Every structure is written in structure tokens, then in C-alpha cells.
Amino acid sequence: MTYRLPFAFGLAALLAAASNPAIAQQVTKTTVPGVTNFSRLETTIACAGATKPEAVPAIKEMGFKSIINLRLANEPGANVEGEEAAAKTAGINYVHIPFNTTQPDPAVADTFVAAVTDPQNTPAFIHCASANRAAAMWMIKRMVVDKWDAERAGAEAAQLGLTNANLKTFAIDYATSHQKH
């Protein structure tokens, strides 16, 4: 009987922690036909790589309200127009924010943060070619909007597909200079 009270307090603390949005969410990897490197972060977002227009109905069916495409229109395999048309047909918001990894532009991050925090776009499906840019942008959102530290945001971003050290540095530098107090 002496164990029930500590157990009850422990269970209550665990449930409270699980419901706290500041706690890192579970990342799950799923195979979605027509999508490369799909990683879903609970019900909040999904980050992915190359995405074909024929995958858009499945993205909509999963409950996403928007697709945020970070690919440049001239990238090999990018089909920005086809994906946008598929999104319109499926009734899902489509936001194209071209992000060049060789010359990361803070204005692109500004546009991304505005798009991903717009209630009309959440939950959002974010993608690029490999998931690196998508995860880097999500890391920025975590640090600037959610006030996460670089270590915590970086660990989550790595689970979502961030492997590029330059993009991680860009995310940290951007977040450091754009912290909202």
C-alpha cells in the first residue's frame, strides 16, 4: 500500500509531461508511395524528401492541411507545377518556398516560419529533395517559435532527416539572430 501513492504521483507526472507541448514528440518513419524519407512528428508535421504529385491525395488523407515545398523548381526531379496542381485538386494548401542549400537566405526562413505557424497550414507536410532542408527549417521553427535550445531542436531535426552540417549551422545562426523574447 505504501507504493500506491508514489506510483500515482509518478503516473500523474508522466501524463502531465506527455501532454506538455514543450516535450519532444515521437518521430515515426513510414513508407508512403511516391514520398522519399517520410518522417512524421506526431500530428504536428511531417518532413520528407522528394514527393511526387501522385502522393498528394495520400498526404491529404493523412490529415495534413498544407504542403510546404522547399525545392527549387529547376532541381532534377522537382515537379513544382504538377505537385501544386495535385494539391489544388486534393483541396490542400500548397506553399512553395524555394530554398537553395548553397546560399541559404534568411528571408526564406522568415517566409517558412510565417507559413508553418499559420493555423490554416497546420498540420503541415514539409519536404525538399532529401528531408535535410525540411528538417533544418523545422529546427528553426522549434528554436525561434517554441524556444527550444539548439541541442534539443538539433536532435529532433536529426531524427527528421537533418544530416547537413552547413544547414544545421544556418539554422542555429538564424535562430540566434531571430529569437523572439
Side-chain angles (χ1 to χ4, degrees), residues 4 9 14 24 36 72-73 77 87 103 137:
R4 286 188 180 165
F9 281 118
L14 179 64
T36 304
L72 302 174
Q103 297 175 319
M137 286 292 163

Side-chain angles (χ1 to χ4, degrees), residues 29-33 35 38:
K29 308 269 186 191
T30 306
T31 299
V32 177
V35 178
F38 182 91

Side-chain angles (χ1 to χ4, degrees), residues 94-175:
Y94 185 81
V95 182
H96 182 223
I97 308 171
F99 181 34
N100 185 337
T101 57
T102 59
Q103 297 175 319
D105 183 353
V108 171
D110 294 340
T111 303
F112 173 81
V113 169
V116 81
T117 57
D118 182 337
Q120 293 181 24
N121 290 331
T122 58
F125 173 84
I126 307 158
H127 82 91
C128 54
S130 66
N132 257 304
R133 289 172 281 182
M137 286 292 163
W138 184 250
M139 181 178 174
I140 287 171
K141 187 269 186 190
R142 284 298 203 191
M143 292 177 68
V144 173
V145 177
D146 299 337
K147 310 286 188 235
W148 284 23
D149 62 46
E151 183 177 336
R152 182 174 171 202
E156 183 179 79
Q159 287 187 304
L160 293 170
L162 181 61
T163 60
N164 183 311
N166 292 334
L167 286 177
K168 184 175 182 179
T169 298
F170 170 76
I172 292 168
D173 291 348
Y174 175 91

Side-chain angles (χ1 to χ4, degrees), residues 42-100:
E42 297 287 333
T43 58
T44 308
I45 61 115
C47 288
T51 301
K52 296 179 180 179
E54 55 267 23
V56 171
I59 293 165
K60 170 74 173 181
E61 190 174 300
M62 286 185 266
F64 293 101
K65 290 187 181 177
S66 70
I67 294 173
I68 300 174
N69 181 354
L70 301 172
R71 296 187 79 179
L72 302 174
N74 63 356
E75 286 180 36
N79 185 353
V80 174
E81 296 82 16
E83 187 178 330
E84 184 173 15
K88 184 176 182 178
T89 299
I92 188 169
N93 295 339
Y94 185 81
V95 182
H96 182 223
I97 308 171
F99 181 34
N100 185 337

